[in-house]
Amino acid sequence: MVTDPTKKKRWLRRLLWLPVWLAALVLLQVAPLRWIDPPTSMFMLIRQAEGLGEKGFELRQEWRDLDEIAACLPISVVAAEDQAFPSHRGFDLEAIEKAMEANERGGRIRGASTLSQQVAKNLYLWGGGGYFRKGLEAGYTVLIEAFWPKRRILEVYVNIAEFGDGIYGAEAAAQAFFGKPASRLTDAECARLAAVLPNPKVYDARNPGPYVQRRAAWIQRQVRQLGGPDYLE
């Protein structure tokens, strides 16, 4: 069988350009969202699809700019999830090292994902592990940190984070659990919302059990030690 060398070279050139086109596609997904509010996230789309056969399921999310959200919520989230957020560039190397050491000793697996990594995963990817997904997450995280200011990363996070089953973002959570807008959340309510983030389908911010109560109290202490909302300035 005779192969056409011209056609072979054409396909080779296409393959060589493939990484460039993929990088451009990812860039177009990330850069505009510095200014444009994302209407949904991959996690929301996946949960919406899962809920199609569930009676009474309703996905709730309403975007609110950071100025329309009580200042106690962003700092509570940072205190709970990523205290190095203002200073790192997407990856907390010290937290990663500590997590690896703890995991080597056995017991409960400890994570070290920053808020930037969580935004990358929730907005563009899917749950679970695997090197492929982690690699994509790292790539998106680098671009998010490069193109978005820290304030924007935090704004997107508090608008797409899951605070309960089908309840995404600060406004939907404030209305669902406390019957008020996100702008009127108290320090204690912000801490309770931040406390459920590790597993919002199990923990309840409205009727907190002993774990959420203890964690919320710890978060409030951490917020005070960090200096309150000024820590994020």
Side-chain angles (χ1 to χ4, degrees):
M1 180 178 177
V2 179
T3 58
D4 184 347
T6 303
K7 183 181 291 186
K8 186 175 181 180
K9 288 180 180 179
R10 187 163 59 246
W11 276 105
L12 182 59
R13 283 197 300 269
R14 289 175 180 174
L15 287 174
L16 291 174
W17 274 99
L18 183 60
V20 177
W21 289 114
L22 289 175
L25 176 62
V26 171
L27 184 59
L28 286 173
Q29 288 180 296
V30 174
L33 295 190
R34 173 171 179 160
W35 303 280
I36 301 171
D37 299 335
T40 187
S41 71
M42 184 59 71
F43 268 40
M44 281 186 249
L45 290 173
I46 292 171
R47 186 65 188 96
Q48 186 79 66
E50 292 173 346
L52 289 176
E54 297 180 21
K55 186 177 180 180
F57 174 78
E58 178 187 6
L59 190 143
R60 286 175 280 180
Q61 193 255 0
E62 295 180 59
W63 183 274
R64 290 293 183 271
D65 293 340
L66 210 55
D67 291 337
E68 301 174 285
I69 298 172
C72 58
L73 185 59
I75 184 59
S76 294
V77 166
V78 167
E81 297 286 297
D82 182 8
Q83 294 190 9
F85 175 73
S87 59
H88 67 60
R89 297 303 300 168
F91 307 94
D92 188 343
L93 300 182
E94 183 178 347
I96 292 172
E97 183 178 352
K98 289 181 179 178
M100 291 175 65
E101 292 174 354
N103 296 340
E104 285 177 359
R105 292 194 295 268
R108 185 173 65 88
I109 299 297
R110 176 178 174 178
S113 290
T114 63
L115 294 183
S116 305
Q117 289 174 274
Q118 292 181 48
V119 167
K121 178 181 69 174
N122 293 358
L123 192 56
Y124 299 109
L125 303 171
W126 59 92
Y131 291 113
F132 178 69
R133 192 198 63 76
K134 280 292 185 183
L136 290 175
E137 178 186 301
Y140 277 110
T141 300
V142 170
L143 289 175
I144 285 170
E145 283 280 345
F147 285 94
W148 301 1
K150 289 288 187 177
R151 178 180 173 84
R152 180 57 170 172
I153 296 172
L154 199 53
E155 183 174 60
V156 172
Y157 180 86
V158 297
N159 273 284
I160 67 172
E162 186 178 20
F163 291 99
D165 188 20
I167 300 170
Y168 294 85
E171 182 65 21
Q175 296 287 356
F177 299 132
F178 306 117
K180 62 172 69 172
S183 60
R184 291 174 49 204
L185 289 168
T186 66
D187 292 350
E189 290 164 347
C190 287
R192 280 157 62 179
L193 287 175
V196 306
L197 287 171
N199 198 337
K201 289 184 174 68
V202 172
Y203 304 130
D204 189 346
R206 182 194 293 112
N207 300 304
Y211 167 80
V212 172
Q213 292 179 31
R214 289 194 304 270
R215 183 163 173 79
W218 177 84
I219 290 169
Q220 286 190 275
R221 290 195 300 271
Q222 293 298 303
V223 168
R224 289 193 294 269
Q225 290 176 14
L226 291 173
D230 289 344
Y231 179 70
L232 301 176
E233 298 297 329

